[in-house]
Amino acid sequence: MLTRLYLSFVVAVVALLMVGTAQAGGSASIVAGDNLNDPNAQSVRSRIEFDTPRHVRVQADRGVDGYLVVRDNAVYAVANLNGQTMVFDYAQTMAQFGGMARSLAPRSLVTDGRFVNLTGPGRIETIAGISGRVWLLTTVNKAGRERQDELVLTNDPKVRELTDAMLATGRIVARAFPELDAEANERLAQELRNRGTGLLRVSNSYLVERLDPATPPAARFALPSEPMVLPDLGELFGR
């Protein structure tokens, strides 16, 4: 009797784990810019696909012929150059060709603000059909300048997964930018994890427009070819 009960329990746990795995991840449309309320201000709309924070794909809707893939705790830039698809290690590409590599990184993944505190909650706000609460985030940059932003936070599980994927990607991408602190968002990420919340909006600079809970195919996170090793341009030109 005990054996049958134990086996039933094990089967039930395995089934739950399989369901949880099948439902992990999703895709979202994110828009970020200087001022999303100003139609004349520059903004970037990106499609974010993820199954876990370890597998993320980021692609701008327009203006950039390429995308980023996060896998194995590294970021790869996939670009179409003269009709040929090439894969580069993002950190190395950033060191060699800063402008081109930087253009593939959406603004929303890069920040120089270190967490100070998070106060609230305030009013209810609905974004992309999901209800959240407004909180006030205070950060300080390396120059010591303090900044406050409105955050709309929700306990929606799919938004939490999206936020985990975004913050994890931001940490990895920031390592390629010497002017940024790669751990700048770690305290905020921990605060959000402790509260069980995800981000729907940051002031007028970041907004989740749409969120699709369907798990993307694993092929979306595969690299189309082996990453290229770029030559050291300094050595190439005798510098």
Side-chain angles (χ1 to χ4, degrees):
M1 180 66 175
L2 288 176
T3 301
R4 285 201 303 272
L5 286 174
Y6 176 74
L7 288 175
S8 297
F9 173 75
V10 170
V11 170
V13 169
V14 170
L16 285 172
L17 288 174
M18 290 178 67
V19 170
T21 301
Q23 293 179 343
S27 59
S29 174
I30 305 291
V31 60
D34 297 325
N35 185 351
L36 301 183
N37 296 327
D38 181 356
N40 297 315
Q42 185 178 12
S43 64
V44 176
R45 181 171 283 101
S46 301
R47 178 176 173 82
I48 313 295
E49 298 171 74
F50 60 99
D51 61 9
T52 67
R54 295 184 299 276
H55 290 152
V56 184
R57 176 173 168 143
V58 182
Q59 185 165 14
D61 280 0
R62 57 183 176 81
V64 179
D65 191 10
Y67 56 92
L68 297 182
V69 172
V70 174
R71 53 182 300 120
D72 307 322
N73 202 35
V75 179
Y76 299 94
V78 181
N80 190 316
L81 301 176
N82 297 322
Q84 183 177 358
T85 300
M86 296 182 167
V87 180
F88 304 94
D89 178 279
Y90 185 82
Q92 185 191 20
T93 306
M94 187 65 215
Q96 299 287 59
F97 306 104
M100 187 270 282
R102 188 183 292 265
S103 71
L104 292 173
R107 305 167 52 90
S108 56
L109 297 181
V110 180
T111 180
D112 65 352
R114 186 171 290 277
F115 178 91
V116 175
N117 60 43
L118 188 62
T119 58
R123 68 185 183 277
I124 296 174
E125 192 169 313
T126 301
I127 297 171
I130 301 168
S131 180
R133 288 271 191 177
V134 175
W135 293 71
L136 189 64
L137 170 70
T138 302
T139 56
V140 61
N141 66 12
K142 288 184 177 181
R145 288 191 294 272
E146 197 172 89
R147 170 175 173 157
Q148 290 189 323
D149 284 288
E150 276 190 351
L151 304 186
V152 177
L153 303 181
T154 179
N155 59 5
D156 182 280
K158 196 57 62 174
V159 179
R160 293 203 306 266
E161 288 183 38
L162 169 64
T163 302
D164 285 345
M166 292 288 287
L167 290 174
T169 301
R171 257 194 320 274
I172 300 171
V173 168
R175 293 173 191 158
F177 294 80
E179 71 271 23
L180 297 180
D181 181 353
E183 301 303 317
N185 274 334
E186 188 53 37
R187 177 71 187 280
L188 173 60
Q190 188 59 52
E191 284 285 329
L192 297 182
R193 282 194 294 267
N194 291 344
R195 297 169 187 270
T197 55
L199 275 168
L200 286 168
R201 179 174 69 82
V202 178
S203 292
N204 58 358
S205 61
Y206 170 94
L207 182 72
V208 177
E209 287 189 319
R210 292 187 305 277
L211 182 56
D212 181 353
T215 305
R220 296 294 289 171
F221 311 106
L223 299 179
S225 62
E226 286 295 317
M228 295 183 62
V229 177
L230 299 176
D232 186 312
L233 297 185
E235 292 182 1
L236 189 63
F237 292 103
R239 297 198 301 271

